[in-house]
Amino acid sequence: MSHEISVAIAYHSRFGHTANQAEAVRRGAAEVPGTTVRLIAVDAITEEDWAALDTADAVVFGSPTYLGDVSAAFRTFAESTSGRWASQAWRDKIAAGFVNSGTMSGDKLNALQSLSIFAAQHGMTWVSLGLLPGWNRSTASDQDLNRLGFWLGAAAQSNGDQGAEQMHPSDLATAEHLGRRVAEQTHRITVGDVRPVPAEV
Ligand SMILES: Cc1cc2nc3c(=O)[nH]c(=O)nc-3n(C[C@H](O)[C@H](O)[C@H](O)COP(=O)(O)O)c2cc1C
């Protein structure tokens, strides 16, 4: 990869689990040469973070699942992008998403769909997880990559009585995969200087 790209990871996490997943996405993206990665906690977003989002080639959105959807803090961030939505400032940036919840399903697909619709409203180009499902055969195991069987993005399940450092290794490896894939796809799509001219914010 001869050119440089930047990936921003905009996430919310109240108890640290989604933050740990975001860190795994960061590790994966950073493995791809020529990639700069920035983690942004959306409930403590700064002017520098907004500037990084505006200039990023790709933004990966992440949220815990609260009552079957993205958290209120993520939603507050989403709604605060309405000026950028109006000018389509983020149009054609690469986007992807990851979600976390306490149960295996937890309705977190709904949260992931919210992230993808948010990206679509901004005119962004959504990158899928790009993995076959794991843990779906008698010979399979919960250690499989994509053990929760998602396609739209990366999912994680976090036990309510365990801290973020005890998250399932498969879910963290799946998040790393998403980060790598986003960086790879962003390199592929932006090569040859076809990246869009940023619209006015
Ligand atoms: C207000 C609230 C609502 C929640 N709703 C759900 C839910 O709908 N489905 C689920 O499986 N877990 C639910 N959980 C559990 C969280 O998704 C889970 O603890 C997650 O790992 C928290 O991520 P965080 O540590 O990044 O905040 C909820 C937790 C809270 C605090």
Side-chain angles (χ1 to χ4, degrees):
M1 315 272 184
S2 56
H3 69 301
E4 300 285 322
I5 60 148
S6 59
V7 176
I9 302 167
Y11 70 95
H12 172 241
S13 180
R14 186 159 148 200
F15 304 106
H17 301 88
T18 315
N20 199 23
Q21 200 181 2
E23 172 56 26
V25 173
R26 189 204 61 75
R27 275 197 305 276
E31 277 176 25
V32 179
T35 306
T36 305
V37 195
R38 185 185 183 103
L39 281 170
I40 297 171
V42 298
D43 55 343
I45 194 162
T46 64
E47 282 308 314
E48 290 73 29
D49 291 331
W50 281 115
L53 284 170
D54 291 337
T55 55
D57 297 297
V59 184
V60 187
F61 300 112
S63 176
T65 307
Y66 290 169
L67 297 165
D69 209 332
V70 295
S71 63
F74 189 89
R75 199 68 210 156
T76 297
F77 159 71
E79 289 182 15
S80 66
T81 67
S82 59
R84 287 163 171 87
W85 169 86
S87 63
Q88 289 288 281
W90 293 356
R91 181 168 46 80
D92 293 344
K93 286 183 192 295
I94 304 300
F98 58 94
V99 287
N100 197 332
S101 82
T103 65
M104 292 293 172
S105 164
D107 289 338
K108 62 181 158 251
L109 175 60
N110 192 55
L112 194 50
Q113 289 174 160
S114 284
L115 297 181
S116 69
I117 290 170
F118 171 52
Q121 289 242 346
H122 276 284
M124 300 170 86
T125 302
W126 188 261
V127 169
S128 64
L129 180 59
L131 282 176
L132 286 170
W135 205 13
N136 61 345
R137 296 183 181 276
S138 61
T139 53
S141 119
D142 70 329
Q143 299 300 317
D144 293 348
L145 212 51
N146 194 18
R147 69 174 177 132
L148 297 172
F150 275 68
W151 281 264
L152 195 56
Q157 177 266 331
S158 305
N159 291 327
D161 61 345
Q162 291 184 317
E165 70 289 347
Q166 287 169 289
M167 278 176 66
H168 198 288
S170 160
D171 296 346
L172 295 176
T174 302
E176 271 188 47
H177 168 89
L178 181 73
R180 257 193 316 275
R181 175 166 160 82
V182 166
E184 287 165 359
Q185 293 302 310
T186 306
H187 274 284
R188 195 171 65 79
I189 289 170
T190 58
V191 79
D193 205 22
V194 294
R195 71 186 75 181
V197 177
E200 267 184 40
V201 177

